[in-house]
Amino acid sequence: MRPSSDRNLRLGEVSSRPLDRIVVGVDFTESSLAVAQWVGRYLSGAALTLVHVIAPPPMPNAFRRHATPARTPDGAVRSRVRSLTGALRGLAGVIGGGRVDVEVRVGDPGPELNAYAAAVDADLIVVGGNAVFRGAPRVDARATERVLRGLTRPLLIARYYVATQASVA
């Protein structure tokens, strides 16, 4: 599969619709950063949006005896959103390509990523997946499964493999 000059993906003689808007889920793992860079390089004709979803703050514990005065949950979330928006803008500058927007949302990553893609009428959602061997825990699979459950747009799960050199003893 290779992108053509007219932004249609071509598989032999069969072509698909053009990819005008792509939503890339970024969780700042090595695989998601590599996928964002790949999308920026090879699908640069489309408008990209880098999306990161943060978990909402936990509910305050009313049963705690000595509650320490802390920032309000809304203030902490706003601070994290500003910080992550800056990080996504920095990533957008690194990957280059065409127009790159950034979005930080609060909630469950699966439904939020799908909702955002539907709201902007995305043609494709791209997320990264780690290279996994049978004995490894599949921590990243839970978020990917939640994205798949409510899927309303085409999804590309790009696996990131790190080439290792064999050592000679």
Side-chain angles (χ1 to χ4, degrees), residues 12 27 108 112 124:
D27 61 1
D108 185 22
E112 286 296 324
L124 180 66

Side-chain angles (χ1 to χ4, degrees), residues 4-138:
S4 70
S5 60
D6 64 353
R7 293 190 334 233
N8 287 338
L9 291 180
R10 299 211 181 265
L11 303 170
E13 293 300 315
V14 179
S15 66
S16 66
R17 67 182 190 175
L19 297 174
D20 293 324
R21 176 168 293 281
I22 300 173
V23 171
V24 182
V26 177
D27 61 1
F28 294 100
T29 60
E30 189 176 8
S31 64
S32 74
L33 296 175
V35 166
Q37 207 169 21
W38 179 85
V39 169
R41 181 179 304 138
Y42 294 107
L43 301 175
S44 60
L48 304 178
T49 305
L50 305 177
V51 180
H52 180 77
V53 182
I54 59 174
M59 294 297 291
N61 187 350
F63 299 109
R64 192 175 294 156
R65 278 188 169 179
H66 302 288
T68 57
R71 295 186 298 179
T72 63
D74 289 340
V77 169
R78 275 195 297 272
S79 175
R80 283 187 68 200
V81 166
R82 276 195 307 271
S83 173
L84 289 166
T85 300
L88 285 174
R89 285 190 182 127
L91 177 60
V94 170
I95 66 172
R99 192 175 112 224
V100 181
D101 297 324
V102 299
E103 176 77 15
V104 177
R105 299 185 73 126
V106 179
D108 185 22
E112 286 296 324
L113 194 58
N114 283 319
Y116 182 78
V120 298
D121 196 28
D123 297 312
L124 180 66
I125 301 171
V126 182
V127 295
N130 292 326
V132 184
F133 62 93
R134 293 186 195 273
R138 301 255 345 227

